[in-house]
Amino acid sequence: MRHDHLISAAQLSRADIEAVLDRAAEIDDDPATVRERHAGTVLALCFFEPSTRTKMSFDTAMKRLGGETIDMGSVESSSVKKGESLADTVRVIEGYADAMVLRHPSEGSAKMASEFVGVPLVNAGDGAGQHPSQTLLDLYTIRENAGLDDITVGIMGDLKYGRTVHSLSMALTNFDVRQHFVSPESLRLPRSVRYDLHEAGAQVREHEELAGILPELDVLYVTRIQRERFPDEREYREVAGEYQIDPETLDEAKESLTVMHPLPRVDEIDPAVDETPHAQYFEQAHNGVPVRMALLDALLSGGERR
Amino acid sequence: MRHDHLISAAQLSRADIEAVLDRAAEIDDDPATVRERHAGTVLALCFFEPSTRTKMSFDTAMKRLGGETIDMGSVESSSVKKGESLADTVRVIEGYADAMVLRHPSEGSAKMASEFVGVPLVNAGDGAGQHPSQTLLDLYTIRENAGLDDITVGIMGDLKYGRTVHSLSMALTNFDVRQHFVSPESLRLPRSVRYDLHEAGAQVREHEELAGILPELDVLYVTRIQRERFPDEREYREVAGEYQIDPETLDEAKESLTVMHPLPRVDEIDPAVDETPHAQYFEQAHNGVPVRMALLDALLSGGERR
Amino acid sequence: MRHDHLISAAQLSRADIEAVLDRAAEIDDDPATVRERHAGTVLALCFFEPSTRTKMSFDTAMKRLGGETIDMGSVESSSVKKGESLADTVRVIEGYADAMVLRHPSEGSAKMASEFVGVPLVNAGDGAGQHPSQTLLDLYTIRENAGLDDITVGIMGDLKYGRTVHSLSMALTNFDVRQHFVSPESLRLPRSVRYDLHEAGAQVREHEELAGILPELDVLYVTRIQRERFPDEREYREVAGEYQIDPETLDEAKESLTVMHPLPRVDEIDPAVDETPHAQYFEQAHNGVPVRMALLDALLSGGERR
């Protein structure tokens, strides 16, 4: 991979993606090989918004590479509150660290910030924008469970607002994957994303119900439908109820179906599904560690940085 | 010690306790012997409630064993706020870490959480429930100062709500220890704890005043009486005032009396006591490090985990 | 350097300062020489007030020396909220750590705390009091850019409330430096500081406008004028506007002028200045790492501690 920064999954060619996933698989097989690889190296965790799993898994990844992390802390406890610009904050922090992970509520912020820093920067979510390391771990999980060739993937839930979904569906166009989108009319994939998918030559179909296409799926990727998207509680409950999964729902699925979810879940997947072999969402979260180890390793080992 | 998880001090036999305390003493004598012992190992700190000393001493313990820690951060900055269940949170985090320390406001939460994870979990306080590593460091401090055979221990203050006290008094029944409980009537030991102590064959007596039994004590364990337990401020002041210690109070004590306190203290022990040889409460806090090192070492080195 | 604790820059002789700056320069040149120097050593970060750069740069410094840090966390998540005294908190924490960095809102708190602990303590800001590691990194930056002999330094902005300024100006009296102070009448240097500077034999002059002395300056140290110092917004804007720097302002300056700022900045320095060779404020922030490495190394290697 030849990149200074990782801002968007769209930067990554099929070869880039495969290189990261291959490396992640190697690391996952034998983590001992990289245990001291980045000793003496410091990664800054800059989270301008709350995060548990992304932050903890980057933290873990860096430490399992032998490196160290420093944490900017919450916005409330930082000089951001004194009116400092993001550009200034990252320019200060780049002097402390060898690489930086940034989450920020504003779309485009990671791109902007990356223009001010000379150390590798990973976008860990910029508002409604991108979150490419999530896409990589999603791809890794799909590849481990179903392969990435000649498969059928269903993506269900809130397809309008979910940055995870937009990014994953675009990345899947690099592979031989049929994509089905399942959502209420009001939360269907935005026109712009549909256009991009079409341009990329994707095989895309949209549905309002899961039942019709469930038997075809190799992977079902479920996302949370958020209460706040609906004007009233009753409407939310009706709609959300139709996109929930339980063991009975899955009776019609292939035995080998892989169920994924970016987590946290609320009611979208009944806990009884956890006991079935379909459930791979915790494994998916855990895959964040080897995938981020592979990613950090690539960025920290890159030679062409200014 | 043969346990997957440490949820309650009641799990621990006398032999288990002695093994941990012996190991802690070894480590305290020569910390260099374990300096790299758990290099490459990651401990997750999951504190759903504020904590200074417990969290910092687990953090220190892990680092002094050569390991690393990752911190879930505060509940406000975590996905718990998005409605994630505790079972889901710990199942995600177990994929990042080799062991886990959990503090949570609900009694029974640590037991429940431990049923979902395959890495060792230490309960660092579950509401009014258990906090077994505190009990171990209390026992260690008593043993270092007075031994654990044929001694007389007084426990004073809020005996009704203090989980520290309940857990310690039960653990002391493994040893040849006479226990005296000193508290206002309204804050005496709960009936259930008295019953358990009786069943365990403990030699237990209750008092409303310290004066009568002070001269007999080898150890005096003081706890904080909390303002919020009393309907009005005046009543609190009157009661609390009777259970405060100053150098004059201790005139009647044995020269060798050890005074302990789980900290933080407010007014229960006059700072002038700090200068006397009786004061062992800061040492007691410091003992948290070797004791937790010994405990983590035992859990991380255990062979029988699923 | 022969000190148990670093509470105030006033403790430091010219020789002490030069020893730290020389060591910092050595480390900056070749950080690999100290990469494992303090392995197995733990530094406690105790910040009772928010901080980004000071905390992160101490954290980085300790880790780049091979050591570990433990973080007290915010006051909200600590036992301070239960009413614990600062003396008790630091006495507990000294049992976990080999050294301690303390920031606290009360002037004099670091001095007081240091009397209770047997490990080296660095004052990282005590209210309106001292912040000596900031002074050291300021001196380092001046020395790297302009030398510390026979130079002219201008210090501009809020000279009344800025502890950074008071501490730096006193430290500069150890060197052959002419000092010019530029501020609105209402924010001029306090009488007590002027007196101390006079006693120390400093060559000090005060100005209300930068223009007159700008051409003479080798270094211009800009500080933030805070809104809350002014009764109304309009007055603030008028005054603050007169003490802002942009590329045009600097037309009259020496080509070699070094512009510094303790950061965070708000409007005091136009971002267009960042592109000029004058701008050294990000470099100044980055210098916090080698300077604090040198400082921690000196304190942790000291032999005369009780």
Side-chain angles (χ1 to χ4, degrees), chain A residues 156-178:
Chain A
M156 180 169 88
D158 177 353
L159 308 183
K160 186 169 178 185
Y161 299 100
R163 68 179 165 207
T164 300
V165 163
H166 305 165
S167 192
L168 175 61
S169 60
M170 279 306 297
L172 286 173
T173 64
N174 287 296
F175 301 89
D176 180 16
V177 173
R178 292 169 292 282

Side-chain angles (χ1 to χ4, degrees), chain A residues 113-132:
Chain A
S114 73
E115 286 158 10
F116 286 94
V117 299
V119 300
L121 183 148
V122 179
N123 181 6
D126 59 330
Q130 292 284 324
H131 186 6

